[in-house]
């Protein structure tokens, strides 16, 4: 981890003294796309600060089916893993690298201490809670009020925003897993969206039109 990268991502959020402490006590890690960063029932002794890349946060039901909750971008942390750290409980989410990612792991002891002693850290954590809470509400609204074709299109739009590109390298099965449905359903809906001139399909690639 370079101090320059840490400064680039967090210098507008965290004060310089804290960034120096993070650089000295944090653990730098790199993950490849699809690597599991945090798994369900894993004891958590740290929280991640995402430097580069994108991470998706998933829940799993009793049958092993996954549901996408939200994405983390560079400059984010995961409030749900923070809660588990503070309670010294096991993880109730799975964090998977959506793309090649780098992050710094903050030990639990530092999380507690900085929350009591550093205003910029406390504000950062409280804001992270609020952002993730709003995203959870959006996920619930999507499940409760949107039809599956609307959910799929919203999912694609969200991915475009994250990737900053209208061309997505993604398989139908990946979408099905994230939205907890079948590949057949996703393929049918994608073909419907293509007929509506909203997307263009090719092998393992989807282009979003008129975005």
């Amino acid at each position: 981890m370079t101090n320059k990268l840490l400064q680039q991502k967090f210098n507008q959020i965290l004060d310089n003294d804290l960034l120096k402490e993070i650089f000295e006590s944090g653990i730098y890690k790199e993950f490849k796309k699809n690597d599991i960063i945090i798994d369900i029932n894993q004891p958590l002794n740290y929280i991640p600060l995402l430097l580069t890349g994108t991470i998706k946060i998933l829940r799993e039901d009793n049958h092993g089916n996954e549901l996408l909750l939200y994405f983390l971008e560079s400059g984010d942390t995961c409030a749900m893993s923070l809660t588990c750290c503070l309670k010294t409980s096991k993880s109730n989410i799975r964090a998977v690298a959506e793309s090649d990612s780098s992050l710094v792991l903050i030990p639990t002891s530092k999380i507690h201490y900085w929350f009591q002693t550093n205003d910029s850290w406390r504000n950062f954590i409280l804001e992270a809670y609020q952002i993730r809470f709003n995203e959870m509400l959006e996920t619930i609204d999507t499940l409760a009020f949107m039809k599956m074709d609307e959910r799929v299109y919203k999912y694609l739009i969200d991915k475009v925003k994250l990737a900053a590109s209208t061309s997505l390298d993604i398989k139908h099965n990946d979408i099905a897993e994230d939205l907890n449905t079948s590949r057949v359903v996703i393929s049918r809906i994608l073909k419907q969206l293509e007929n509506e001139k909203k997307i263009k399909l090719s092998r393992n690639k989807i282009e979003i039109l008129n975005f």
Side-chain angles (χ1 to χ4, degrees), residues 146-164:
M146 281 189 174
K147 297 178 181 178
M148 182 55 75
D149 59 334
E150 295 172 322
R151 287 178 60 199
V152 171
Y153 190 62
K154 180 183 182 301
Y155 171 91
L156 295 175
I157 295 298
D158 289 344
K159 295 274 284 186
V160 162
K161 292 176 181 177
L162 286 170

Side-chain angles (χ1 to χ4, degrees), residues 38-61:
I38 300 172
D39 209 353
I40 294 170
N41 290 324
Q42 174 184 333
L44 288 180
N45 301 310
Y46 58 82
I47 66 164
L49 295 183
L50 186 56
L51 299 174
T52 62
T54 308
I55 297 173
K56 60 182 178 182
I57 306 299
L58 305 158
R59 280 281 285 162
E60 185 179 84
D61 66 17

Side-chain angles (χ1 to χ4, degrees), residues 12-211:
Q12 300 297 319
I13 305 170
L14 305 174
D15 65 48
N16 289 330
D17 289 340
L18 181 59
L19 287 173
K20 182 179 178 182
E21 287 193 62
I22 291 174
F23 179 71
E24 292 172 349
S25 62
I27 303 169
Y28 179 75
K29 292 281 188 178
E30 293 183 350
F31 294 89
K32 295 296 185 182
K33 182 178 179 179
N34 296 325
D35 282 351
I36 295 177
I37 299 169
I38 300 172
D39 209 353
I40 294 170
N41 290 324
Q42 174 184 333
L44 288 180
N45 301 310
Y46 58 82
I47 66 164
L49 295 183
L50 186 56
L51 299 174
T52 62
T54 308
I55 297 173
K56 60 182 178 182
I57 306 299
L58 305 158
R59 280 281 285 162
E60 185 179 84
D61 66 17
N62 293 331
H63 303 289
N65 299 310
E66 292 181 334
L67 177 66
L68 175 67
L69 297 181
Y70 51 79
F71 290 99
L72 298 178
E73 302 176 78
S74 61
D76 285 342
T77 189
C78 180
M80 295 187 72
S81 64
L82 174 65
T83 301
C84 293
C85 274
L86 294 176
K87 294 170 57 182
T88 62
S89 60
K90 294 180 179 179
S91 172
N92 52 20
I93 55 95
R94 177 174 293 123
V96 179
E98 177 74 0
S99 61
D100 291 352
S101 302
S102 65
L103 48 87
V104 56
L105 306 178
I106 308 299
T108 303
S109 59
K110 295 294 185 180
I111 298 167
H112 285 276
Y113 178 69
W114 292 338
F115 194 84
Q116 298 298 325
T117 62
N118 188 281
D119 289 342
S120 67
W121 177 258
R122 183 164 53 251
N123 291 336
F124 171 64
I125 294 304
L126 292 175
E127 185 176 354
Y129 270 121
Q130 185 62 55
I131 292 171
R132 300 289 90 81
F133 179 72
N134 290 340
E135 289 174 335
M136 289 288 290
L137 288 180
E138 184 178 344
T139 298
I140 292 170
D141 287 345
T142 298
L143 289 170
F145 305 120
M146 281 189 174
K147 297 178 181 178
M148 182 55 75
D149 59 334
E150 295 172 322
R151 287 178 60 199
V152 171
Y153 190 62
K154 180 183 182 301
Y155 171 91
L156 295 175
I157 295 298
D158 289 344
K159 295 274 284 186
V160 162
K161 292 176 181 177
L162 286 170
S165 170
T166 57
S167 182
L168 302 174
D169 295 317
I170 190 168
K171 298 178 181 178
H172 294 193
N173 194 59
D174 294 335
I175 302 174
E177 289 181 354
D178 283 348
L179 297 183
N180 193 19
T181 188
S182 70
R183 185 188 184 283
V184 172
V185 169
I186 293 300
S187 296
R188 175 179 57 77
I189 290 174
L190 290 176
K191 189 63 180 177
Q192 173 188 325
L193 292 174
E194 184 175 46
N195 291 336
E196 294 172 358
K197 308 299 183 184
K198 293 181 177 179
I199 65 172
K200 182 180 179 181
L201 299 174
S202 54
R203 185 173 178 80
N204 295 335
K205 182 170 291 189
I206 301 173
E207 183 178 355
I208 311 301
L209 305 176
N210 302 319
F211 176 73

